[in-house]
Amino acid sequence: MIYIFGSGVAGLSAGISLRKAGYKVTIISKKIRSGSSYWAKGGIAVATSADDSPDLHAQDTIRVGDGLCDVKVVNYVTHEIRNVISTLEEWGFIFDSDLRLEGGHSKRRVLHKTDETGRELTNFLLNLALKESVNIIEDRLLGLRTKDGRITGFVTEKRGVIDADKVILATGGYGYLFKFTSNPDTNLGEGIAIAFKAGALVSDMEFIQFHPTIGFFGNEPYLLTETLRGEGAILVNDKGERFAFQYDARGELASRDILSRAIYDQYQKGHKVYMDLSQIGSFEKKFPILSRYVEKYGKKIQVFPGAHFTIGGIRVNLRGESNIKGLYAIGEVSDTGLHGANRLASNSLAQNLVYGINIPQYIDRWEGLEVDDFMKIERIRVKSGVRLTIEEIRENNWNYLGIIRNAEGLSKLISIYENADTISNTPESFASLISLLASKSAFLRTESRGVHYRDDFPLKTWKDGKRIYFRMVS
Ligand code: FAD
């Protein structure tokens, strides 16, 4: 039996693909209809039009990744995604016929289904997985068992210890560990913490992508996608000023990191910020789902920047293999090197599908992760200490590990987490451990690169390719 943890796009696509290849599969998820996958709006990046190519897609990915992309992985994903999309279509998924343009892409190449691609795709995969007799159960992973560098089993909340020699983690990222976020509350980074405690190598934890425009409808965060600004939406503050041009000549079409800092700065100066949708033509046709909310809440929506996507995670090779034999990681829980220091829009679902659908090719031919590009492995000890709540962690991280960082704030944060409980198998302890790794990594990277911005080191000064790895000291 192959066990997969997580029922987002990564976990479900791997489960279906393995089942179709004749394997017995069980997917275990702490909440079946959950995860960022359901909330993805924009779509999936794939070079399909006549004037586009995987090489151009790769070039865009590498440019945005700001010197930290693993070029082998970039080429693999940008080429393979075309085959994987064909597989998805053979399985019966139908995309809308037009391609969308998103920030950072030199061509129209974002495949989508209405303005709720993630929800449509995840529901489709869930139904298909059930039809293919993939066993899907609700339970929570608490720990992994290893012996001599290989997986021997795992522990869950309801089932206790189960023997296994192949485990695929697809438990998503840690975006919910910030007070302002586009992520659902399932995304606490538990899979990364659990793998780390089992001996997995973890990397790139400082790279947290913030999205500039998250609105709230009631208490629910709702991502107001780039496409809206591409179609004419503008940003104004409470004095009615269209401020984006004060920060960048591209105004509302500046990159996510620049706009996130601009909006953050407006709030720091005591303003409120709104997205005004009234200038978008054929709004109802282009954004049918958002239109339903707009009917109730109006076309001027207050927006905040917030944590959106976490680049760091369990270091894996292009087969999804970690440094622990039998332990695979796919999707946002992993760090493949595709995104480098900044993720190109719509490359995340592309990566999930490539790693998920292709996994049967590798599942019986273990090679294992080899890391040859590292400069630094930091060794971290887990220990007992102060038990923080998730809300305290979210507040701390927003204040000191947020959009603008510096040594003073990060040192404060590191001392909080060094004195926190990081040894227990609770969500709070996992969240403290993840926050310790991310804040240490952000402290150690004494430069600004990609999504990592330090006001005490505002320039990009490190050698390209230099990343920070963590391993546990036992
Ligand atoms: P998730 O979909 O996050 O799923 C994680 C799963 O793990 C969940 O089922 C959860 O229940 C389970 N889990 C967690 N912990 C445990 C545990 N301890 N035990 C058992 N199960 C556990 N990317 C794009 O490419 N294009 C987009 O247009 C896009 N839009 C986005 C919009 C929003 C609002 C957000 C938040 C993200 C967006 N992204 C987009 C990013 C993308 O959606 C995610 O990176 C991707 O969906 C992650 O998929 P995943 O399968 O790795 O994890």
Side-chain angles (χ1 to χ4, degrees):
M1 177 70 74
I2 299 171
Y3 291 92
I4 301 175
F5 287 89
S7 52
V9 164
L12 289 170
S13 60
I16 296 163
S17 195
L18 284 165
R19 189 74 197 100
K20 281 182 180 285
Y23 294 91
K24 281 196 177 149
V25 184
T26 294
I27 295 181
I28 302 178
S29 181
K30 67 178 173 186
K31 199 168 164 200
I32 290 173
R33 288 175 194 276
S34 70
S36 284
S37 296
Y38 277 92
W39 292 20
K41 309 269 175 237
I44 303 165
V46 51
T48 51
S49 64
D51 67 340
D52 199 5
S53 70
D55 288 343
L56 284 178
H57 184 184
Q59 278 169 28
D60 290 344
T61 304
I62 290 167
R63 184 174 26 79
V64 170
D66 210 5
L68 265 186
C69 291
D70 182 327
V71 175
K72 236 177 19 214
V73 173
V74 174
N75 286 328
Y76 172 63
V77 172
T78 52
H79 284 76
E80 272 302 301
I81 185 61
R82 303 211 303 184
N83 301 329
V84 159
I85 290 293
S86 302
T87 304
L88 199 57
E89 287 172 337
E90 278 160 28
W91 289 355
F93 191 75
I94 302 168
F95 287 98
D96 287 355
S97 55
D98 62 314
L99 293 169
R100 284 189 172 159
L101 179 64
E102 287 189 346
H105 290 275
S106 57
K107 300 284 174 192
R108 279 191 178 266
R109 67 165 73 97
V110 178
L111 272 179
H112 67 102
K113 177 101 173 176
T114 74
D115 48 348
E116 289 282 358
T117 307
R119 198 185 56 190
E120 296 282 334
L121 178 60
T122 321
N123 279 336
F124 168 84
L125 291 174
L126 181 59
N127 289 335
L128 183 59
L130 292 170
K131 204 171 125 211
E132 294 283 339
S133 309
V134 175
N135 186 24
I136 306 183
I137 50 184
E138 262 185 19
D139 198 352
R140 183 181 209 132
L141 179 68
L142 297 179
L144 292 169
R145 298 262 161 130
T146 61
K147 194 168 180 225
D148 303 329
R150 61 170 61 221
I151 282 287
T152 57
F154 57 83
V155 187
T156 72
E157 204 166 58
K158 295 183 190 158
R159 288 168 179 76
V161 180
I162 295 189
D163 292 337
D165 59 2
K166 284 181 184 125
V167 170
I168 301 172
L169 294 183
T171 50
Y174 46 98
Y176 191 74
L177 298 185
F178 290 79
K179 182 176 170 186
F180 291 98
T181 179
S182 63
N183 281 211
D185 61 7
T186 42
N187 291 28
L188 304 174
E190 288 164 281
I192 303 171
I194 290 166
F196 179 76
K197 286 169 72 175
L201 204 58
V202 162
S203 54
D204 289 331
M205 294 295 284
E206 68 276 39
F207 294 110
I208 293 147
Q209 185 174 55
F210 294 89
H211 197 285
T213 53
I214 299 164
F216 280 85
F217 296 128
N219 287 331
E220 280 272 295
Y222 190 97
L223 189 90
L224 294 159
T225 78
E226 251 99 23
T227 330
L228 290 160
R229 281 175 278 121
E231 296 291 337
I234 59 166
L235 295 168
V236 289
N237 65 19
D238 49 359
K239 286 169 77 186
E241 291 165 343
R242 192 176 171 190
F243 59 85
F245 287 93
Q246 294 166 24
Y247 298 86
D248 192 282
R250 291 166 292 179
E252 282 86 1
L253 299 180
S255 58
R256 281 181 183 177
D257 51 326
I258 291 173
L259 274 188
S260 292
R261 286 201 291 278
I263 297 173
Y264 183 75
D265 186 51
Q266 288 288 308
Y267 277 102
Q268 294 292 93
K269 288 177 173 153
H271 294 301
K272 287 182 177 163
V273 175
Y274 300 88
M275 184 183 274
D276 184 348
L277 305 170
S278 54
Q279 297 184 27
I280 301 179
S282 313
F283 182 76
E284 288 73 15
K285 189 161 170 264
K286 285 181 188 154
F287 302 100
I289 311 290
L290 180 57
S291 287
R292 288 186 216 150
Y293 290 99
V294 164
E295 269 172 32
K296 188 168 171 199
Y297 293 93
K299 279 197 171 168
K300 198 169 155 192
I301 301 162
Q302 187 173 2
V303 289
F304 304 85
H308 180 53
F309 179 84
T310 51
I311 291 172
I314 304 164
R315 189 76 188 168
V316 292
N317 61 14
L318 62 72
R319 306 154 66 94
E321 297 162 343
S322 72
N323 59 309
I324 299 174
K325 188 162 184 202
L327 179 66
Y328 298 77
I330 56 173
E332 202 173 329
V333 74
S334 69
D335 178 18
T336 63
L338 171 71
H339 309 300
N342 194 359
R343 177 185 68 115
L344 181 65
S346 289
N347 260 358
S348 169
L349 292 178
Q351 176 186 256
N352 288 5
L353 288 167
V354 168
Y355 279 72
I357 289 177
N358 281 357
I359 205 156
Q361 296 173 29
Y362 310 121
I363 202 80
D364 284 328
R365 297 187 197 94
W366 181 264
E367 284 185 359
L369 172 73
E370 275 182 28
V371 179
D372 54 11
D373 59 341
F374 62 87
M375 303 282 176
K376 213 170 177 54
I377 293 191
E378 292 294 320
R379 293 180 189 271
I380 301 273
R381 200 177 293 280
V382 295
K383 53 192 186 63
S384 50
V386 181
R387 290 172 179 232
L388 300 169
T389 65
I390 296 290
E391 286 315 311
E392 284 168 332
I393 293 168
R394 298 181 76 209
E395 184 80 39
N396 290 335
N397 290 348
W398 180 252
N399 290 337
Y400 304 119
L401 185 62
I403 292 167
I404 298 178
R405 303 157 173 185
N406 54 46
E408 195 188 334
L410 290 167
S411 311
K412 244 184 235 168
L413 206 54
I414 291 168
S415 105
I416 292 172
Y417 294 127
E418 279 181 342
N419 290 305
D421 166 37
T422 48
I423 204 166
S424 313
N425 291 336
T426 61
E428 293 78 10
S429 179
F430 294 142
S432 296
L433 176 55
I434 290 297
S435 303
L436 175 62
L437 299 181
S439 47
K440 273 226 161 184
S441 215
F443 179 81
L444 290 169
R445 186 170 285 279
T446 48
E447 64 162 357
S448 293
R449 176 186 295 268
V451 295
H452 168 70
Y453 182 78
R454 289 197 42 173
D455 62 7
D456 50 352
F457 292 98
L459 301 179
K460 186 164 64 179
T461 50
W462 284 23
K463 215 171 118 220
D464 281 359
K466 182 172 171 178
R467 46 179 105 250
I468 299 165
Y469 290 87
F470 289 98
R471 183 168 259 168
M472 193 181 75
V473 187
S474 44

